[in-house]
Amino acid sequence: ESETVKPVQLSVMGAVGAQYNISNRVGLYVEPGVSYFFDDGSSIQTIRKENPCNFTLQAGNVLLIDSRTDMFFVHFLVDSEFS
């Protein structure tokens, strides 16, 4: 038997973050979020069907590189997902 899986699974995601600048060039940030994956209608069981609602936490440091035209951000992050 063969099973056809729809190639697209819809989801929504929201997150809010905060940054604390240690100095004028280095900062720390944290960004908690939540996502929800909608049922794709197939009979194949996936982790997204078992746990459609997921919580995420991104945290890291930011290196601020100042130039005359704009400010450039370099992010170093750790990403975790919780169901």
Side-chain angles (χ1 to χ4, degrees):
E1 284 183 50
S2 65
E3 182 80 30
T4 302
V5 178
K6 293 183 180 181
V8 176
Q9 182 176 20
L10 298 177
S11 65
V12 293
M13 189 259 185
V16 175
Q19 178 175 319
Y20 174 75
N21 290 333
I22 298 172
S23 70
N24 60 350
R25 296 211 179 260
V26 178
L28 299 174
Y29 77 96
V30 63
E31 184 181 283
V34 63
S35 59
Y36 185 84
F37 294 85
F38 297 101
D39 189 358
D40 64 358
S42 72
S43 61
I44 296 177
Q45 291 300 311
T46 65
I47 192 67
R48 301 294 186 210
K49 284 187 181 181
E50 292 177 22
N51 299 310
C53 186
N54 295 291
F55 298 97
T56 60
L57 179 63
Q58 292 187 354
N61 57 10
V62 181
L63 175 62
L64 306 169
I65 302 171
D66 193 11
S67 68
R68 293 181 182 188
T69 59
D70 202 356
M71 189 174 284
F72 180 72
F73 297 96
V74 179
H75 292 267
F76 304 94
L77 67 96
V78 175
D79 189 2
S80 297
E81 187 172 301
F82 309 96
S83 297

